[in-house]
Amino acid sequence: SQQGEEDPQALSIQEGENATMNCSYKTSINNLQWYRQNSGRGLVHLILIRSNEREKHSGRLRVTLDTSKKSSSLLITASRAADTASYFCATVGGDYKLSFGAGTTVTVRA
Amino acid sequence: GAGVSQSPSNKVTEKGKDVELRCDPISGHTALYWYRQSLGQGLEFLIYFQGNSAPDKSGLPSDRFSAERTGGSVSTLTIQRTQQEDSAVYLCASSLRTPIDNEQFFGPGTRLTVL
């Protein structure tokens, strides 16, 4: 069963705008990771945030984590056409498994 | 060095046939994972290897699915008597150790189509 659930399922924005997507999960975690997938293949790791961290930045990406609400958000600033992809959150609990959500499909219009 | 590689990239087979999917992890990565992604869905965990051992096979959907890993490197996922519902993209990933504080590096996947 999937641990994370992304919201919204799909997002369409204009190039240059910011894109925000959310992830909610059910059980306690060790860390939460965001991945990007282009054209249904090849996931690329974007960022990892540990359970004792609240915010993390990487380039145009900003991730927040609220363990009290069991939720995380991914913000992509100044979006580009190349950011068009599906974005997945994945949680790691006390073991080795990554539990993925169903993903958010982001379309950036030129 | 090279990333995770998988072969074949695409496989079309007839219902009832057996298929073998191969994964070459990043050199030195002790942990290896297989996932399945059906159309428009998230990833479904199948099996995890630490070295050559598979401490968790709980994600394998049925006894038609098996996997092995040899030499702490290459892994093969075998699906016997394939069914149409086995059609999916099968993704392999590896990590330096376990994903606690380690990212998983994914291969490009094998797209399996069962006719």
Side-chain angles (χ1 to χ4, degrees), chain A residues 21-38:
Chain A
M21 61 210 85
N22 303 296
C23 169
S24 59
Y25 57 92
K26 298 185 176 73
T27 61
S28 62
I29 61 170
N30 182 286
N31 66 66
L32 185 145
Q33 304 179 30
W34 284 91
Y35 286 80
R36 184 185 71 219
Q37 186 178 40
N38 294 87

Side-chain angles (χ1 to χ4, degrees), chain B:
Chain B
V4 178
S5 61
Q6 293 185 246
S7 61
S9 56
N10 283 286
K11 176 71 176 178
V12 180
T13 190
E14 292 179 350
K15 179 181 171 181
K17 294 284 179 69
D18 298 351
V19 295
E20 278 190 359
L21 312 179
R22 177 188 168 107
C23 172
D24 282 88
I26 292 173
S27 177
H29 280 194
T30 60
L32 186 146
Y33 316 81
W34 283 98
Y35 296 88
R36 178 170 71 173
Q37 186 177 30
S38 301
L39 187 64
Q41 301 295 312
L43 275 74
E44 175 189 2
F45 167 82
L46 297 179
I47 190 169
Y48 153 69
F49 285 93
Q50 184 60 250
N52 292 334
S53 301
D56 187 349
K57 304 178 182 179
S58 64
L60 295 177
S62 75
D63 58 9
R64 295 186 296 103
F65 288 71
S66 63
E68 64 175 13
R69 188 179 185 195
T70 55
S73 180
V74 172
S75 177
T76 303
L77 177 69
T78 301
I79 309 173
Q80 296 179 309
R81 305 180 302 281
T82 53
Q83 303 294 312
Q84 288 182 331
E85 61 262 29
D86 299 335
S87 295
V89 176
Y90 289 82
L91 290 158
C92 173
S94 70
S95 66
L96 195 56
R97 290 177 296 278
T98 65
I100 296 177
D101 280 4
N102 287 287
E103 65 178 280
Q104 292 189 10
F105 294 84
F106 281 81
T110 293
R111 187 179 300 279
L112 175 66
T113 303
V114 182
L115 302 176

Side-chain angles (χ1 to χ4, degrees), chain A residues 4 6 11-14 25 37 47-48 56-57 59 63 68 72 86 92 94-95:
Chain A
E6 288 92 342
L11 183 60
S12 181
I13 56 172
Q14 201 71 31
Y25 57 92
Q37 186 178 40
I47 199 164
L48 181 154
K56 209 160 181 181
H57 296 255
V63 168
S68 67
S72 173
S86 292
V92 177
D95 56 12

Side-chain angles (χ1 to χ4, degrees), chain A residues 31-98:
Chain A
N31 66 66
L32 185 145
Q33 304 179 30
W34 284 91
Y35 286 80
R36 184 185 71 219
Q37 186 178 40
N38 294 87
S39 304
R41 304 282 285 267
L43 280 94
V44 174
H45 182 269
L46 296 177
I47 199 164
L48 181 154
I49 186 165
R50 296 182 180 83
S51 60
N52 62 353
E53 297 176 313
R54 292 295 167 259
E55 189 171 313
K56 209 160 181 181
H57 296 255
S58 176
R60 294 183 296 111
L61 305 179
R62 173 176 167 257
V63 168
T64 64
L65 179 65
D66 187 336
T67 52
S68 67
K69 294 181 179 177
K70 291 188 169 58
S71 68
S72 173
S73 68
L74 171 66
L75 168 68
I76 306 172
T77 60
S79 62
R80 306 167 181 168
D83 295 329
T84 294
S86 292
Y87 292 81
F88 295 88
C89 71
T91 56
V92 177
D95 56 12
Y96 44 83
K97 291 182 186 178
L98 272 178

